[in-house]
Amino acid sequence: MKITFLGTGISQGIPVIGSKHPVCLSKNYKDKRLRSSILIEKDKKNFLIDCGPDFRYQMLRSNYEKLNAIFMTHEHQDHIGGLDDIRPINMKNPIPIYGLRRVIENLKKRFFYLFSQNKKSNFSKISVHELDNYKNFFFVENFKIFPLSIWHGHLPILGFRIENFAYITDASSIPIQTIEELKGVNILVLNVLRKIVKNSFPFMLSETLNIIQKICPKKTYLTHISHTFGFHEEIETQLPKNVYLAYDRLIIYG
């Protein structure tokens, strides 16, 4: 399984427009982050988790040309804003999209033209699949996918586990049941925003490391990073063994 981090930044990306923060001014390419998204490639099948505003550029710079499915964690703009740009690769075969019923309904309203039933429409059709039962796994291209119950503030969202790989972003808390479902994963991708925050979400670094300790994955990669978190190279030296700071275009294998 090949995993490409298409983006690892927060909703504003890094650098933030107009910001003079030292991280935003950094010349290190690892400090430049597009909105968070990941692409999983296995047996010549490509699965995308989240389709943010940077999707077009992310696909072009990573040299990907097709998708077999899209999994949506939730409906915030930085996770769905690029959906319009799937059209060039979706004209012949509709790409199935998986998400909570609430998220699917939001997509239908915001991108109504993509869901047109007009046979004369030039826009491709989209196949949608609602995932409102967290207890049930589902199959896509013969791969077993487990939706994971996650909380983003007061909003229920999804994480996803595929074989021994799991992806969670924008989490403020993870239910005990989900932590149990994550035990045994080889690679965990988990969000963290900054080292110290005043509100409850996303995770502070200490909370993130506590969750990692409970799950005990072989390796963890941190994503959804804010510029206020610090410089990539400095943060990496402070992380415990087998915990890494992800960066855009990082490729790992699971």
mmCIF file of all heavy atoms in Angstrom, residues 2 11 18 33 38 70 96 102-103 109 112 152 167 177 179 189 221-222 225 234 244 247 254:
data_model
loop_
_atom_site.group_PDB
_atom_site.id
_atom_site.type_symbol
_atom_site.label_atom_id
_atom_site.label_comp_id
_atom_site.label_asym_id
_atom_site.label_seq_id
_atom_site.Cartn_x
_atom_site.Cartn_y
_atom_site.Cartn_z
ATOM 1 N N LYS A 2 0.699 2.108 -0.989
ATOM 2 C CA LYS A 2 1.444 3.357 -1.096
ATOM 3 C C LYS A 2 0.554 4.505 -0.632
ATOM 4 O O LYS A 2 -0.591 4.632 -1.062
ATOM 5 C CB LYS A 2 1.881 3.589 -2.541
ATOM 6 C CG LYS A 2 2.626 4.889 -2.779
ATOM 7 C CD LYS A 2 2.967 5.048 -4.256
ATOM 8 C CE LYS A 2 3.650 6.371 -4.547
ATOM 9 N NZ LYS A 2 3.942 6.546 -5.998
ATOM 10 N N SER A 11 -6.936 24.661 7.646
ATOM 11 C CA SER A 11 -7.877 25.189 6.658
ATOM 12 C C SER A 11 -7.324 26.363 5.865
ATOM 13 O O SER A 11 -7.716 26.580 4.717
ATOM 14 C CB SER A 11 -9.181 25.600 7.345
ATOM 15 O OG SER A 11 -8.938 26.585 8.333
ATOM 16 N N GLY A 18 -0.909 36.887 3.820
ATOM 17 C CA GLY A 18 -0.618 38.104 4.573
ATOM 18 C C GLY A 18 0.124 37.913 5.873
ATOM 19 O O GLY A 18 0.477 38.887 6.540
ATOM 20 N N ARG A 33 2.456 23.994 3.431
ATOM 21 C CA ARG A 33 1.439 22.952 3.538
ATOM 22 C C ARG A 33 0.128 23.342 2.858
ATOM 23 O O ARG A 33 -0.456 24.383 3.163
ATOM 24 C CB ARG A 33 1.175 22.631 5.009
ATOM 25 C CG ARG A 33 2.429 22.221 5.778
ATOM 26 C CD ARG A 33 2.110 21.942 7.249
ATOM 27 N NE ARG A 33 3.325 21.659 8.008
ATOM 28 C CZ ARG A 33 3.901 20.465 8.096
ATOM 29 N NH1 ARG A 33 3.345 19.432 7.467
ATOM 30 N NH2 ARG A 33 5.002 20.284 8.805
ATOM 31 N N ILE A 38 -5.181 12.915 1.629
ATOM 32 C CA ILE A 38 -4.258 11.793 1.462
ATOM 33 C C ILE A 38 -4.752 10.890 0.351
ATOM 34 O O ILE A 38 -5.972 10.786 0.113
ATOM 35 C CB ILE A 38 -4.127 11.023 2.795
ATOM 36 C CG1 ILE A 38 -2.825 10.230 2.861
ATOM 37 C CG2 ILE A 38 -5.343 10.152 3.066
ATOM 38 C CD1 ILE A 38 -2.470 9.770 4.254
ATOM 39 N N ILE A 70 -13.739 8.166 -3.330
ATOM 40 C CA ILE A 70 -13.420 9.289 -2.448
ATOM 41 C C ILE A 70 -14.138 9.059 -1.125
ATOM 42 O O ILE A 70 -15.337 8.790 -1.092
ATOM 43 C CB ILE A 70 -13.867 10.639 -3.045
ATOM 44 C CG1 ILE A 70 -13.176 10.897 -4.388
ATOM 45 C CG2 ILE A 70 -13.566 11.780 -2.068
ATOM 46 C CD1 ILE A 70 -13.679 12.142 -5.095
ATOM 47 N N PRO A 96 -17.378 6.830 -6.974
ATOM 48 C CA PRO A 96 -18.211 6.728 -5.777
ATOM 49 C C PRO A 96 -17.660 7.581 -4.647
ATOM 50 O O PRO A 96 -16.444 7.635 -4.432
ATOM 51 C CB PRO A 96 -18.160 5.239 -5.438
ATOM 52 C CG PRO A 96 -16.892 4.754 -6.031
ATOM 53 C CD PRO A 96 -16.662 5.572 -7.268
ATOM 54 N N ARG A 102 -25.424 13.383 6.391
ATOM 55 C CA ARG A 102 -25.385 14.840 6.512
ATOM 56 C C ARG A 102 -24.395 15.442 5.533
ATOM 57 O O ARG A 102 -24.649 16.477 4.905
ATOM 58 C CB ARG A 102 -24.983 15.186 7.944
ATOM 59 C CG ARG A 102 -24.900 16.660 8.258
ATOM 60 C CD ARG A 102 -24.140 16.912 9.540
ATOM 61 N NE ARG A 102 -22.702 16.756 9.370
ATOM 62 C CZ ARG A 102 -21.950 15.922 10.068
ATOM 63 N NH1 ARG A 102 -22.479 15.153 10.989
ATOM 64 N NH2 ARG A 102 -20.638 15.852 9.837
ATOM 65 N N VAL A 103 -23.252 14.799 5.376
ATOM 66 C CA VAL A 103 -22.207 15.287 4.478
ATOM 67 C C VAL A 103 -22.638 15.154 3.019
ATOM 68 O O VAL A 103 -22.454 16.074 2.219
ATOM 69 C CB VAL A 103 -20.894 14.522 4.725
ATOM 70 C CG1 VAL A 103 -19.826 14.945 3.722
ATOM 71 C CG2 VAL A 103 -20.400 14.750 6.150
ATOM 72 N N LYS A 109 -26.137 19.989 -2.135
ATOM 73 C CA LYS A 109 -26.571 21.381 -2.164
ATOM 74 C C LYS A 109 -25.472 22.293 -2.723
ATOM 75 O O LYS A 109 -25.743 23.166 -3.550
ATOM 76 C CB LYS A 109 -26.959 21.833 -0.756
ATOM 77 C CG LYS A 109 -28.236 21.188 -0.230
ATOM 78 C CD LYS A 109 -28.547 21.666 1.189
ATOM 79 C CE LYS A 109 -29.816 21.014 1.717
ATOM 80 N NZ LYS A 109 -30.104 21.445 3.113
ATOM 81 N N PHE A 112 -24.581 21.115 -6.596
ATOM 82 C CA PHE A 112 -25.810 20.553 -7.167
ATOM 83 C C PHE A 112 -25.652 20.157 -8.624
ATOM 84 O O PHE A 112 -26.213 19.169 -9.081
ATOM 85 C CB PHE A 112 -26.962 21.544 -7.015
ATOM 86 C CG PHE A 112 -26.743 22.851 -7.730
ATOM 87 C CD1 PHE A 112 -27.181 23.031 -9.029
ATOM 88 C CD2 PHE A 112 -26.095 23.896 -7.089
ATOM 89 C CE1 PHE A 112 -26.967 24.243 -9.692
ATOM 90 C CE2 PHE A 112 -25.875 25.096 -7.749
ATOM 91 C CZ PHE A 112 -26.308 25.271 -9.052
ATOM 92 N N HIS A 152 -15.420 16.178 16.093
ATOM 93 C CA HIS A 152 -14.753 17.447 15.771
ATOM 94 C C HIS A 152 -15.552 18.532 16.476
ATOM 95 O O HIS A 152 -16.545 19.025 15.952
ATOM 96 C CB HIS A 152 -14.740 17.654 14.264
ATOM 97 C CG HIS A 152 -14.163 18.973 13.822
ATOM 98 N ND1 HIS A 152 -13.036 19.512 14.372
ATOM 99 C CD2 HIS A 152 -14.578 19.862 12.870
ATOM 100 C CE1 HIS A 152 -12.770 20.679 13.779
ATOM 101 N NE2 HIS A 152 -13.695 20.911 12.878
ATOM 102 N N TYR A 167 -6.578 6.691 9.156
ATOM 103 C CA TYR A 167 -6.432 8.133 8.917
ATOM 104 C C TYR A 167 -7.504 8.881 9.697
ATOM 105 O O TYR A 167 -8.698 8.626 9.554
ATOM 106 C CB TYR A 167 -6.580 8.423 7.430
ATOM 107 C CG TYR A 167 -6.395 9.883 7.052
ATOM 108 C CD1 TYR A 167 -5.121 10.405 6.832
ATOM 109 C CD2 TYR A 167 -7.484 10.730 6.891
ATOM 110 C CE1 TYR A 167 -4.943 11.730 6.477
ATOM 111 C CE2 TYR A 167 -7.312 12.057 6.523
ATOM 112 C CZ TYR A 167 -6.041 12.555 6.322
ATOM 113 O OH TYR A 167 -5.865 13.875 5.963
ATOM 114 N N GLN A 177 -14.556 3.380 22.069
ATOM 115 C CA GLN A 177 -14.818 2.288 21.138
ATOM 116 C C GLN A 177 -13.940 2.403 19.891
ATOM 117 O O GLN A 177 -13.413 1.414 19.384
ATOM 118 C CB GLN A 177 -16.298 2.276 20.739
ATOM 119 C CG GLN A 177 -16.675 1.191 19.726
ATOM 120 C CD GLN A 177 -16.418 -0.204 20.244
ATOM 121 O OE1 GLN A 177 -16.590 -0.481 21.427
ATOM 122 N NE2 GLN A 177 -15.989 -1.099 19.356
ATOM 123 N N ILE A 179 -11.019 3.919 19.713
ATOM 124 C CA ILE A 179 -9.640 3.611 20.112
ATOM 125 C C ILE A 179 -9.415 2.103 20.096
ATOM 126 O O ILE A 179 -8.377 1.613 19.631
ATOM 127 C CB ILE A 179 -9.331 4.199 21.504
ATOM 128 C CG1 ILE A 179 -9.255 5.732 21.419
ATOM 129 C CG2 ILE A 179 -8.015 3.638 22.054
ATOM 130 C CD1 ILE A 179 -9.047 6.417 22.741
ATOM 131 N N VAL A 189 -2.331 7.907 11.010
ATOM 132 C CA VAL A 189 -2.200 9.332 10.692
ATOM 133 C C VAL A 189 -3.209 10.061 11.563
ATOM 134 O O VAL A 189 -4.395 9.728 11.576
ATOM 135 C CB VAL A 189 -2.462 9.617 9.209
ATOM 136 C CG1 VAL A 189 -2.381 11.120 8.933
ATOM 137 C CG2 VAL A 189 -1.461 8.869 8.337
ATOM 138 N N TYR A 221 2.033 9.366 12.020
ATOM 139 C CA TYR A 221 2.391 10.576 11.281
ATOM 140 C C TYR A 221 1.372 11.654 11.617
ATOM 141 O O TYR A 221 0.160 11.438 11.508
ATOM 142 C CB TYR A 221 2.404 10.306 9.773
ATOM 143 C CG TYR A 221 3.524 9.389 9.358
ATOM 144 C CD1 TYR A 221 3.369 8.005 9.421
ATOM 145 C CD2 TYR A 221 4.750 9.891 8.933
ATOM 146 C CE1 TYR A 221 4.402 7.147 9.062
ATOM 147 C CE2 TYR A 221 5.787 9.041 8.571
ATOM 148 C CZ TYR A 221 5.603 7.667 8.643
ATOM 149 O OH TYR A 221 6.636 6.830 8.293
ATOM 150 N N LEU A 222 1.852 12.812 12.040
ATOM 151 C CA LEU A 222 0.987 13.916 12.428
ATOM 152 C C LEU A 222 0.676 14.798 11.223
ATOM 153 O O LEU A 222 1.563 15.102 10.420
ATOM 154 C CB LEU A 222 1.652 14.747 13.525
ATOM 155 C CG LEU A 222 2.072 13.973 14.786
ATOM 156 C CD1 LEU A 222 2.718 14.917 15.791
ATOM 157 C CD2 LEU A 222 0.888 13.240 15.402
ATOM 158 N N ILE A 225 -1.512 20.495 10.229
ATOM 159 C CA ILE A 225 -0.575 21.289 11.026
ATOM 160 C C ILE A 225 -0.782 22.793 10.827
ATOM 161 O O ILE A 225 -0.975 23.264 9.704
ATOM 162 C CB ILE A 225 0.877 20.930 10.643
ATOM 163 C CG1 ILE A 225 1.105 19.421 10.742
ATOM 164 C CG2 ILE A 225 1.866 21.685 11.503
ATOM 165 C CD1 ILE A 225 0.906 18.835 12.097
ATOM 166 N N GLU A 234 12.428 21.591 13.662
ATOM 167 C CA GLU A 234 12.534 21.748 15.114
ATOM 168 C C GLU A 234 11.555 20.835 15.836
ATOM 169 O O GLU A 234 11.898 20.229 16.864
ATOM 170 C CB GLU A 234 12.297 23.204 15.503
ATOM 171 C CG GLU A 234 13.391 24.150 15.018
ATOM 172 C CD GLU A 234 13.113 25.581 15.413
ATOM 173 O OE1 GLU A 234 12.091 25.825 16.114
ATOM 174 O OE2 GLU A 234 13.909 26.457 15.031
ATOM 175 N N TYR A 244 6.185 10.909 13.773
ATOM 176 C CA TYR A 244 6.806 11.770 12.770
ATOM 177 C C TYR A 244 5.846 12.881 12.355
ATOM 178 O O TYR A 244 4.622 12.722 12.400
ATOM 179 C CB TYR A 244 7.193 10.957 11.531
ATOM 180 C CG TYR A 244 7.997 9.723 11.837
ATOM 181 C CD1 TYR A 244 7.368 8.489 12.049
ATOM 182 C CD2 TYR A 244 9.388 9.774 11.934
ATOM 183 C CE1 TYR A 244 8.108 7.347 12.346
ATOM 184 C CE2 TYR A 244 10.134 8.640 12.223
ATOM 185 C CZ TYR A 244 9.485 7.427 12.432
ATOM 186 O OH TYR A 244 10.208 6.305 12.727
ATOM 187 N N TYR A 247 4.591 15.769 5.959
ATOM 188 C CA TYR A 247 4.731 16.972 5.146
ATOM 189 C C TYR A 247 4.188 16.674 3.752
ATOM 190 O O TYR A 247 4.045 15.516 3.350
ATOM 191 C CB TYR A 247 6.190 17.448 5.079
ATOM 192 C CG TYR A 247 7.168 16.405 4.590
ATOM 193 C CD1 TYR A 247 7.463 16.261 3.234
ATOM 194 C CD2 TYR A 247 7.813 15.553 5.492
ATOM 195 C CE1 TYR A 247 8.368 15.298 2.786
ATOM 196 C CE2 TYR A 247 8.723 14.597 5.053
ATOM 197 C CZ TYR A 247 8.990 14.477 3.697
ATOM 198 O OH TYR A 247 9.876 13.524 3.257
ATOM 199 N N GLY A 254 2.607 1.063 3.607
ATOM 200 C CA GLY A 254 2.020 0.321 4.719
ATOM 201 C C GLY A 254 1.742 -1.124 4.352
ATOM 202 O O GLY A 254 1.792 -1.496 3.204
#
